[in-house]
Amino acid sequence: MTTGQYGVVRRRIEAFYPDQIVVDLKDEALVRHELSGLGIKVEPIESSKGLGLNLYGLVGVAEAVTRLGGDLEQRVRARAAGGYEPGEAPTPLDLLLFHLRESSAAKHAGYQPIVAKNRVYENIEGSPYSGGSAGDPKPAAAFDLPARSDSSRRRPRIGVFDTPLHPHEALAGRYVIDSPRALLSPRSEWVSFSGHAVFVASVAARQAPDADFVVYPVLDAERLVTTSWTLATRLVESLDDDLDLMIIALGSAAADGREPLTLARACERTSGVVKVAALGNHGQAKERAPAGAVFSDLPSNIPMWPAASSTVIAVGAKDKDGLPAYFSPTPEEAPWTDCLAPGVDLPGLYLPGLVRMADLHVPSGKVVVSDRHATFPHPGHATWSGSSFAAAYTAGYLAHQACTQGIGAGEAADRLLSGQGVVKLDGFAESGIEVVRPRRG
């Protein structure tokens, strides 16, 4: 366990802020009373009516838990049941959260307040530790996106929760932003991560040329991180934007394997919008990997959230032979997988000019710009691999089906996942979408 940049605690499985908690509005008085009794100062940071949650900063946690004494740490470890790796110890925040729940249960016939950590989420392609390395983007031949039709039907709206968007000329007229910060400013050279959102949007646009994309820049363009609070609040706020689908190409693991509170609440409260998320790039098929591939430090059976949520379509990547890509967990390892879609060497729109390849080293929280680089001829096209792009492919397919069939995105998803959907093929990904966990009933 380390405390890296920006004061974030980073373990092998999870990352979070050690001095912040998320509390259900209903439990605010109970939790604040208990914290006050422990001598912990509570500082409001933000409140979300859409989530029904408050975010607080805490001062004095370490000092307070030392006064609890006894065998608190031993009880935490026993309850965690393998949640801590060798050499890892519960943080003061872990001890505090356990105490809050345990104390309330003892006083109120088992009732436990809804309180949780503010977790850190990373872009799936960003790291050889939490996301796995699926290879650097590579310059590719230019191509045109399919032309938009003159149909009078309402255009499907796809939310892209990702980095800020590079305003590629080929996407002009196909995206919507709510502030200038949603777009990247021109520059002479780039960090490779910065082209993620435009690549994701273009993969979906190739499947759904009539779709409009709404850009939500939840990820820092160069650090590729966000918090569970930021992501969750943007998800519920997007309900005002009349979305049909969401592409969520980021995720995080939890040491206890459970769905984090804020994301669970956001997914529940956006149930009317089809959410498609990347399964993760922490597969371990080393026998099929190209030379020099870097593998995730995470086991391949670790669920990434929100992809593992029951309210989300989890999409893994498959290669051109139709097998799970070497970096993508198999459906046997990740039984929450709903489908596999093309995710290896997909073509997409990218950044123009010199791009320096970077790696996100999660244990230290540092972005390392490597000596690897490539020049992408204007206006910028690339091939890239990853489950993010498999998710984008699937979301685009669903949007196209909804638009051309005159049905809602939810019905299109139901048809696909019940085995009634016909996979869409194109000239670059002949293997199409494979449903591996049909949803029936």
Side-chain angles (χ1 to χ4, degrees):
M1 179 181 69
T2 62
T3 301
Q5 287 181 316
Y6 315 104
V8 174
V9 170
R10 295 179 178 275
R11 295 182 174 132
R12 178 175 177 238
I13 303 296
E14 63 180 1
F16 57 91
Y17 283 91
D19 56 355
Q20 296 182 7
I21 58 171
V22 177
V23 184
D24 190 282
L25 297 181
K26 184 175 182 178
D27 294 318
E28 179 181 4
L30 185 157
V31 171
R32 293 192 65 147
H33 176 76
E34 187 71 25
L35 293 173
S36 177
L38 293 172
I40 296 174
K41 182 181 179 182
V42 179
E43 299 179 337
I45 298 176
E46 193 173 341
S47 181
S48 170
K49 290 184 178 179
L51 291 171
L53 299 171
N54 284 337
L55 176 65
Y56 292 113
L58 304 178
V59 179
V61 174
E63 296 83 354
V65 297
T66 59
R67 294 193 291 271
L68 294 174
D71 60 347
L72 179 59
E73 181 173 334
Q74 287 71 31
R75 298 200 307 278
V76 170
R77 285 183 176 277
R79 181 67 61 87
Y84 296 99
E85 298 288 320
E88 291 182 347
T91 66
L93 183 61
D94 292 310
L95 300 177
L96 174 64
L97 292 175
F98 183 90
H99 170 76
L100 291 174
R101 296 170 181 135
E102 184 182 59
S103 175
S104 175
K107 295 175 184 176
H108 306 293
Y111 180 81
Q112 297 184 12
I114 298 176
V115 57
K117 300 171 181 175
N118 187 20
R119 298 178 181 275
V120 171
Y121 280 66
E122 273 102 14
N123 159 277
I124 293 295
E125 266 63 60
S127 165
Y129 292 88
S130 76
S133 173
D136 296 331
K138 300 174 179 60
F143 63 87
D144 294 326
L145 291 177
R148 288 155 79 87
S149 75
D150 57 2
S151 172
S152 61
R153 285 176 172 161
R154 174 185 173 277
R155 296 190 185 280
R157 290 169 66 86
I158 303 176
V160 179
F161 296 80
D162 210 288
T163 61
L165 184 81
H166 166 59
H168 198 290
E169 60 188 43
L171 271 184
R174 303 192 191 210
Y175 61 84
V176 177
I177 60 172
D178 62 1
S179 73
R181 72 182 187 89
L183 295 180
L184 294 173
S185 301
R187 61 193 71 180
S188 59
E189 63 179 62
W190 309 83
V191 174
S192 55
F193 299 159
S194 301
H196 198 266
V198 69
F199 198 96
V200 163
S202 67
V203 169
R206 293 192 60 184
Q207 301 302 311
D210 284 335
D212 288 331
F213 296 89
V214 186
V215 181
Y216 302 93
V218 296
L219 286 166
D220 182 282
E222 296 189 356
R223 289 178 51 222
L224 280 190
V225 296
T226 189
T227 67
S228 55
W229 179 266
T230 298
L231 175 58
T233 54
R234 290 310 307 245
L235 288 172
V236 295
E237 288 168 359
S238 73
L239 289 174
D240 294 334
D241 296 333
D242 197 25
L243 298 181
D244 299 285
L245 299 107
M246 300 175 177
I247 301 173
I248 309 173
L250 53 94
S252 180
D256 60 8
R258 299 175 183 173
E259 186 172 9
L261 167 64
T262 49
L263 263 294
R265 186 70 61 88
C267 288
E268 168 195 313
R269 298 198 174 188
T270 57
S271 59
V273 182
V274 176
K275 292 173 285 294
V276 185
L279 181 67
N281 291 343
H282 52 296
Q284 301 289 333
K286 298 179 180 179
E287 70 283 358
R288 294 192 288 108
V294 178
F295 283 85
S296 171
D297 195 41
L298 288 177
S300 53
N301 64 347
I302 289 288
M304 297 292 284
W305 305 98
S309 171
S310 62
T311 62
V312 173
I313 299 174
V315 184
K318 63 177 179 176
D319 61 25
K320 294 179 179 179
D321 294 324
L323 299 172
Y326 72 89
F327 53 81
S328 189
T330 68
E332 292 74 27
E333 294 167 328
W336 46 88
T337 307
D338 290 296
C339 54
L340 300 176
V344 175
D345 294 333
L346 291 184
L349 305 181
Y350 196 59
L351 307 168
L354 178 64
V355 176
R356 299 193 181 278
M357 308 303 167
D359 300 307
L360 178 62
H361 185 266
V362 172
S364 66
K366 295 179 179 179
V367 172
V368 180
V369 179
S370 73
D371 58 2
R372 307 187 310 274
H373 63 275
T375 298
F376 293 77
H378 183 84
H381 294 82
T383 58
W384 210 350
S385 301
S387 62
S388 289
F389 314 130
Y393 184 103
T394 303
Y397 164 79
L398 294 174
H400 183 73
Q401 291 299 302
C403 187
T404 57
Q405 301 295 320
I407 59 178
E411 184 175 346
D414 289 341
R415 290 184 182 183
L416 174 67
L417 297 178
S418 67
Q420 298 174 31
V422 179
V423 297
K424 180 175 178 60
L425 309 180
D426 64 29
F428 295 89
E430 295 84 353
S431 55
I433 300 171
E434 176 188 353
V435 177
V436 297
R437 188 172 69 116
R439 298 184 184 182
R440 310 195 188 282

